[in-house]
Amino acid sequence: MNRSSFSLIFLLSAAIAVVLATGVVVLATLKPLPEITRPVERPSSMGRRIPPTSPAAEPVAPLKRRREAHLLVLGDRTLSEMVVASVRGRTGVSAVEPVDAARLTIAGRQVSTMGVDPSSFRSYTPGPTARSDPLWQSIAAGDAAISFGLGTDGGLAPGSSVNAGSLRLRVGAVATMGLGIIDAVVSRPTARRLGLPQGNALLVSAPRADSAKLRNALSRTLPKGLQVVVLKPVFTPARTGRAPSSLPGDRIRTALTAAASKLGAPYVWGAEGPDAFDCSGLIQWAFGRAGIRLPRVTHQQFASGPQVPFAEMQPGDLIFWRLDPTNPGYISHAAIYWGDGKMIQAPRTGDVVKIVPVHTRNLAGVVRVSPG
């Protein structure tokens, strides 16, 4: 229910640099990239693989080992061999995976899309996804794998064919890729046909490095214009015996008033306002009116401050849920606590921004937005 707009991609102050005639927006603007915390534990009814429409040009290599992606290096054009070698040779980096990353218009929606080599990229995905040979063969054959949210709230069903740029793209399956910013994955040959930039991003695996320090080091040494983003957010627990700092009361009131001014606005997957919103888009927009810059996607918003006990919620706190059956560990919905046991939220497709009683089913936690 939350979406990145690459958003993908899959930071907040940079501007979108290039709009291609195919409907591709090169991601010179990158919004925070959350990482799924647990692999898929049970399949969704939407996760059934649809047989590919055509055989893959080459068979997909079997999975050899699993890796974790910790950073994303992103530019608006093909990264040079010097840049790739610089990242690959950095102390602490164990593997680098070149990918194509852009926001693509699919079925009229701006979708964070990644072009990948199925044989190598699969090792960066959660276990059940990585081990699914039929899934990767489907992607290699020209299908797209989409996120649960894009399938449900975005209205794209497995087996459907949709307009993507100037082409028709077949949705092969719903599958968790382990990066909350990614809403669609295609093979790199398909990405070429769709007009995505070639090799403009790198997934970086650095399991023994401090991701934040590595990001800072790369940002200092890589050419200007490249972004380096930590994919795994750092969650801050509340300190025992001390109430965490909260925003000034006037800012909280401004954010709540802004959110309430949009009561009745429709939920639209990926929408950031001012006339329509998804859940995280409403939160980012409302706090932005109060001068507070928050990440775009829900999983990163979960790291916007310390977690507080549910019983100690205050107006302006953010409430989070895990609702994605394809990935039970992912933070997939958020709302703003209104007070008096109520919250304001953009719920789902077909609904509108509204104030409703707080519910605790699949509750992930409550976060107090940090003044910092």
Side-chain angles (χ1 to χ4, degrees), residues 237-247 306-309 312-314 317 368-369 371:
R239 298 178 64 177
T240 304
R242 289 186 58 183
S245 300
S246 58
L247 296 172
Q307 297 184 46
V308 298
E312 297 178 14
M313 277 193 305
Q314 297 178 6
D317 288 348
R368 185 151 298 156
V369 178

Side-chain angles (χ1 to χ4, degrees), residues 24-363:
V24 174
V25 177
V26 177
L27 298 176
T29 296
L30 182 66
K31 297 180 180 177
L33 310 180
E35 183 173 34
I36 291 172
T37 56
R38 285 192 288 148
V40 181
E41 295 178 354
R42 53 194 170 91
S44 121
S45 60
M46 295 186 61
R48 298 188 303 270
R49 188 186 71 84
I50 305 299
T53 54
S54 60
E58 296 181 3
V60 177
L63 176 67
K64 295 181 179 179
R65 61 173 298 180
R66 293 268 324 289
R67 298 186 185 276
E68 185 177 8
H70 299 91
L71 301 176
L72 180 73
V73 178
L74 179 70
D76 61 0
R77 64 196 68 188
T78 302
L79 301 179
S80 69
E81 292 182 6
M82 183 181 68
V83 167
V84 176
S86 176
V87 175
R88 197 186 302 274
R90 177 70 57 170
T91 300
V93 173
S94 63
V96 168
E97 177 73 9
V99 294
D100 311 326
R103 190 171 64 181
L104 175 67
T105 302
I106 299 178
R109 299 159 178 80
Q110 291 294 300
V111 178
S112 302
T113 306
M114 192 171 273
V116 306
D117 178 345
S119 293
S120 54
F121 176 80
R122 67 186 300 180
S123 66
Y124 289 83
T125 64
T129 302
R131 291 189 290 269
S132 176
D133 290 329
L135 171 66
W136 296 107
Q137 201 66 46
S138 170
I139 293 172
D143 288 349
I146 63 171
S147 67
F148 174 76
L150 181 54
T152 53
D153 289 309
L156 304 189
S160 62
S161 292
V162 297
N163 290 324
S166 60
L167 302 178
R168 294 289 289 176
L169 181 65
R170 188 170 184 272
V171 178
V174 168
T176 291
M177 293 296 162
L179 299 170
I181 52 162
I182 299 176
D183 288 305
V185 166
V186 297
S187 69
R188 298 192 78 179
T190 301
R192 301 288 184 275
R193 293 193 293 272
L194 292 169
L196 270 69
Q198 300 183 25
N200 67 315
L202 296 173
L203 288 176
V204 180
S205 180
R208 296 183 180 180
D210 181 309
S211 294
K213 291 181 179 178
L214 179 58
R215 175 201 176 278
N216 293 338
L218 288 172
S219 296
R220 288 193 299 268
T221 57
L222 292 178
K224 188 175 289 188
L226 296 183
Q227 298 181 60
V228 185
V229 182
V230 176
L231 297 178
K232 187 174 183 179
V234 177
F235 303 110
T236 307
R239 298 178 64 177
T240 304
R242 289 186 58 183
S245 300
S246 58
L247 296 172
D250 60 336
R251 289 198 169 189
I252 293 174
R253 287 190 293 273
T254 298
L256 290 172
T257 299
S261 73
K262 297 302 176 179
L263 289 172
Y267 176 102
V268 174
W269 182 92
E272 303 174 350
D275 300 317
F277 301 88
D278 64 11
C279 65
S280 57
L282 175 66
I283 289 172
Q284 185 190 52
W285 184 88
F287 278 86
R289 304 290 78 71
I292 304 299
R293 190 174 69 181
L294 290 180
R296 172 63 179 89
V297 294
T298 300
H299 200 67
Q300 282 281 355
Q301 289 177 353
F302 192 50
S304 295
Q307 297 184 46
V308 298
F310 180 81
E312 297 178 14
M313 277 193 305
Q314 297 178 6
D317 288 348
L318 306 182
I319 315 171
F320 296 88
W321 293 264
R322 293 184 170 99
L323 304 176
D324 183 347
T326 71
N327 181 34
Y330 182 60
I331 306 297
S332 53
H333 184 60
I336 307 171
Y337 184 57
W338 180 260
D340 194 28
K342 297 179 180 179
M343 62 186 182
I344 186 166
Q345 64 168 345
R348 65 188 65 82
T349 296
D351 213 331
V352 298
V353 175
K354 60 174 61 173
I355 296 175
V356 296
V358 175
H359 65 85
T360 58
R361 186 170 180 265
N362 296 320
L363 180 73

